[in-house]
Amino acid sequence: MPGSDELVALYDQAGAVVGSTTRARVRAGALWHAAGVVLVRSGDGNAVYVHLRTPGKDVFPSTWDCWAGGVVAAGETPAECARRELAEELGVRGVEPVPLFTKVYDDGRNRCHNFAFEVRWDGPIRHQAEEIVEGRWITLAELRAWVDDPAPDLPFIPDGREGVQEWFRRYG
């Protein structure tokens, strides 16, 4: 698995950093960790960028997502992670992610504090080929219908679904 020796921040259930360990140990032991995730909205706020994750992802492969993001590295803050992942995954640089909320996700195998951010962006999108197969802009109404559908035609990432449903509760 690519990046399995990468050192990531280890969190406790309450959301505090308690050390670091390898990504492989986090995955194998279902350990608490964190992610910086960014909702990319069009400049006018009416559309959201969604992307299809590659089949090689270590969790939730081949699912659609509306959050650019990834695991917080050892010594990194969630905001630093959000900026880094936004640049790596979508090529979005020069815009500061705005903090929104933290959404805890725990399905028994994946235990993560998702630190959610948002940006407005009308510039080019450049996919990181190792992580993203394709992507497109959809309206907020289309996104809401997709994540509220219990059996969508296109699989949507479970933690991202919960995160965007929380976003709609708070802001939409």
Side-chain angles (χ1 to χ4, degrees):
M1 161 181 10
S4 63
D5 291 335
E6 171 189 5
L7 279 182
V8 300
L10 189 62
Y11 280 66
D12 65 15
Q13 188 172 358
V17 178
V18 295
S20 63
T21 190
T22 64
R23 179 186 291 263
R25 278 202 61 221
V26 165
R27 298 300 186 214
L31 303 177
W32 281 101
H33 59 289
V37 299
V38 185
L39 186 69
V40 179
R41 294 175 65 195
S42 59
D44 64 10
N46 293 326
V48 173
Y49 196 79
V50 295
H51 61 273
L52 178 60
R53 295 162 59 90
T54 60
K57 295 291 288 179
D58 60 345
V59 293
F60 307 125
S62 299
T63 55
W64 285 87
D65 198 354
C66 64
W67 302 93
V71 175
V72 176
E76 185 177 51
T77 68
E80 291 167 338
C81 175
R83 282 190 297 275
R84 175 179 55 79
E85 291 288 345
L86 187 60
E88 288 176 4
E89 289 185 2
L90 300 180
V92 175
R93 292 176 173 78
V95 61
E96 187 62 27
V98 175
L100 298 174
F101 55 83
T102 303
K103 179 73 173 114
V104 174
Y105 182 79
D106 181 2
D107 67 6
R109 295 178 318 276
N110 300 293
R111 295 183 165 101
C112 189
H113 300 276
N114 286 314
F115 290 86
F117 297 82
E118 179 180 311
V119 296
R120 299 287 180 101
W121 182 256
D122 285 324
I125 300 287
R126 292 184 191 89
H127 297 152
Q128 181 181 28
E130 298 81 15
E131 299 207 25
I132 297 175
V133 175
E134 64 178 283
R136 65 179 177 265
W137 292 97
I138 64 172
T139 67
L140 289 174
E142 289 170 319
L143 180 62
R144 184 188 296 264
W146 192 357
V147 299
D148 287 347
D149 183 348
D153 292 335
L154 301 173
F156 204 90
I157 191 168
D159 63 336
R161 177 185 304 274
E162 287 186 13
V164 80
Q165 287 172 330
E166 180 66 21
W167 183 88
F168 277 121
R169 277 192 286 282
R170 291 174 182 239
Y171 307 105

